[in-house]
Amino acid sequence: RDLARDSETPGRALIQFDNYFAWLEGPSATILRPGQTPLRGDYDYASGVMTPSATAPDPALVDKAMSHVILPSILYREQRYKLPK
């Protein structure tokens, strides 16, 4: 499903560019930047444009974004990414 074009179904996405991560949940984007405070943005599905917001992101969404960013590294490092046989 294309989250950018599907405005009827609630969705979420994790977007990565180098060391920048954006957690998109509904129209709200939480952007994690290395060594800097997180940003909040508003995503318009119709135009595909994300507009930065002056307000700080919800701390719960920052935690959720961070958990999605670090979990794959933890699973790989601890070799817990395999399915049971």
Side-chain angles (χ1 to χ4, degrees):
R1 144 179 127 192
D2 187 344
L3 292 174
R5 290 188 167 79
D6 181 5
S7 62
E8 301 298 317
T9 308
R12 65 212 180 289
L14 179 65
I15 304 161
Q16 176 186 3
F17 179 77
D18 194 25
N19 287 332
Y20 287 73
F21 294 88
W23 176 252
L24 183 61
E25 190 168 317
S28 177
T30 303
I31 299 117
L32 304 176
R33 310 171 298 162
Q36 300 177 52
T37 58
L39 295 175
R40 185 175 97 56
D42 298 307
Y43 184 75
D44 181 354
Y45 289 96
S47 66
V49 174
M50 197 279 298
T51 306
S53 174
T55 61
D58 180 349
L61 287 177
V62 172
D63 289 345
K64 185 184 277 189
M66 186 61 77
S67 68
H68 285 279
V69 168
I70 64 173
L71 181 63
S73 295
I74 293 170
L75 294 175
Y76 183 79
R77 184 177 58 241
E78 296 180 5
Q79 297 184 4
R80 293 180 161 209
Y81 54 90
K82 299 176 183 175
L83 295 173
K85 294 185 180 206

